Amino acid sequence: MYSLQFMKSMMLACCAVIISYSASANHMTLKKAMSSKLVSVNAVGNGGACGKCIKLELANNTKTELELDVDPALIFVPEDTTYQNLVLLGNETIALTPNSCKEFSLQTFCGKSYAKGPFAGLHYKFWRQGDSGLIKTLTFVKANNISMHLAQCSVWVFTNFKCINTVYSSLDPRMSESLVKFIASLRNNRMPDYFVENELNDRPGQLVLVPDREKVIVTMHWGAEDGYRRMRLSIFRENGELYREIEADQIIDKIGFTVQVSFDPRKDPKGVYFVQLHDDANKVWDQKKIVVGVSECELQLFQNGRGRG
């Protein structure tokens, strides 16, 4: 009796293992399915880089149904490398019936900021997955409905060594700062003193980063009780020369005053500036260093020989 009961228990346990294994074997990541040759992939660009810009034709090489989770930060490279790499947003799930072939258009971003926008019909092949920072950032982007402009700028932080202060959109400064704060925590960086907003272009055959069209933006804030009489904002050149006094719109709320100052490299000479907040008694309450026309971290990378952005 004991032996029969033991045999039944063992058979039930084996069945449970088989069922569990079967479920896990049919549900896996796209990266694992590709590396295991369970699926074959033919990748073609739809034109552009930011949007649903890649079409994957997936062939299920097995006799079972596959449910595939698209890994974040899978990078595909074009047959003509003068065009941009495409980076998958990921965190999508696709299903393939046995021995079937199906097409899926997936959300992508540009992974090579200095290259040309892809045209429709350009063939791609899988290269590799981005690093853990890019994977976590794209997962954050998906979970928090981050705008495509900000998401694109964040990708370049990892693929092209762009500064984290370039992850910015004046249309949503709070979302910008939230994403920058997340990336800064991943990279053990402090929050930047200022931001650089780039103009993007997604037209096939053209550069995605519009040259000389960025804006440098710095925000100064002070409490309602700070200062003596009234506060002033002044901009100084690196040599101490007064560049201009700030006459800017200010936001007044229950916690004080906020002034946003912007620089345009087409009008303001390239170089280092200091934005200074001081009162009528010439007490300096805050000062931020900014660089116009040249990125601080990109300049350091160039000097260290780490390549082009």
Side-chain angles (χ1 to χ4, degrees):
M1 184 69 179
Y2 174 80
S3 177
L4 181 60
Q5 184 64 34
F6 178 79
M7 289 294 292
K8 288 181 178 180
S9 298
M10 288 297 294
M11 289 178 65
L12 288 172
C14 289
C15 288
V17 169
I18 292 170
I19 292 171
S20 174
Y21 176 79
S22 176
S24 63
N26 292 335
H27 188 186
M28 67 188 70
T29 66
L30 175 59
K31 181 181 176 182
K32 181 178 180 180
M34 290 190 295
S35 65
S36 302
K37 308 296 183 183
L38 300 180
V39 299
S40 302
V41 181
N42 181 39
V44 181
N46 288 328
C50 189
K52 290 199 171 184
C53 297
I54 197 167
K55 180 169 60 182
L56 299 186
E57 183 183 88
L58 300 177
N60 183 352
N61 299 325
T62 75
K63 297 180 180 180
T64 60
E65 183 174 350
L66 296 177
E67 188 173 293
L68 307 176
D69 294 328
V70 180
D71 316 65
L74 297 183
I75 303 174
F76 288 76
V77 295
E79 57 185 357
D80 183 343
T81 55
T82 63
Y83 291 91
Q84 298 157 8
N85 296 343
L86 294 179
V87 182
L88 298 192
L89 172 62
N91 291 299
E92 300 139 316
T93 300
I94 55 184
L96 292 172
T97 54
N99 295 312
S100 67
C101 185
K102 195 173 181 181
E103 294 180 349
F104 302 88
S105 288
L106 301 177
Q107 173 69 47
T108 63
F109 300 102
C110 165
K112 199 161 60 175
S113 62
Y114 54 85
K116 296 183 294 184
F119 57 85
L122 184 64
H123 285 271
Y124 279 79
K125 64 179 180 180
F126 175 65
W127 178 31
R128 63 179 177 84
Q129 188 174 25
D131 65 20
S132 62
L134 181 54
I135 293 169
K136 291 175 182 177
T137 297
L138 289 179
T139 300
F140 182 88
V141 163
K142 181 83 171 182
N144 293 276
N145 296 314
I146 300 295
S147 73
M148 292 299 99
H149 178 99
L150 285 174
Q152 175 60 84
C153 294
S154 71
V155 168
W156 290 327
V157 171
F158 299 94
T159 62
N160 295 111
F161 306 113
K162 295 294 184 183
C163 296
I164 63 172
N165 70 346
T166 60
V167 183
Y168 189 82
S169 170
S170 58
L171 297 177
D172 200 334
R174 289 189 178 181
M175 183 180 286
S176 302
E177 292 190 18
S178 174
L179 181 55
V180 170
K181 185 177 181 180
F182 177 80
I183 298 172
S185 68
L186 291 178
R187 299 165 66 90
N188 294 317
N189 294 146
R190 66 178 182 83
M191 285 292 287
D193 286 337
Y194 67 96
F195 296 94
V196 178
E197 182 175 28
N198 287 296
E199 184 174 330
L200 306 185
N201 170 28
D202 201 32
R203 296 184 183 91
Q206 298 183 15
L207 295 177
V208 64
L209 274 175
V210 181
D212 301 319
R213 294 296 293 271
E214 73 270 14
K215 287 184 179 179
V216 178
I217 297 169
V218 59
T219 300
M220 306 295 285
H221 179 83
W222 63 95
E225 302 302 320
D226 290 341
Y228 172 74
R229 296 180 63 184
R230 69 186 180 119
M231 304 291 272
R232 302 175 183 271
L233 281 171
S234 302
I235 300 176
F236 296 91
R237 300 295 295 268
E238 191 173 20
N239 62 5
E241 174 189 354
L242 178 66
Y243 181 62
R244 74 171 183 257
E245 298 285 349
I246 300 299
E247 295 292 339
D249 294 334
Q250 62 183 17
I251 300 171
I252 306 173
D253 56 31
K254 62 182 179 181
I255 60 173
F257 302 83
T258 300
V259 174
Q260 189 177 83
V261 183
S262 64
F263 295 79
D264 186 340
R266 293 171 295 175
K267 301 175 182 177
D268 298 301
K270 294 180 179 180
V272 176
Y273 296 84
F274 294 91
V275 179
Q276 190 180 95
L277 175 67
H278 57 94
D279 61 20
D280 284 343
N282 289 322
K283 177 182 177 179
V284 176
W285 290 80
D286 194 11
Q287 179 172 277
K288 293 183 179 180
K289 174 185 174 182
I290 68 168
V291 180
V292 175
V294 181
S295 164
E296 285 183 285
C297 62
E298 288 176 332
L299 180 60
Q300 292 172 1
L301 289 170
F302 178 78
Q303 292 171 340
N304 293 334
R306 289 186 64 181
R308 108 191 248 197

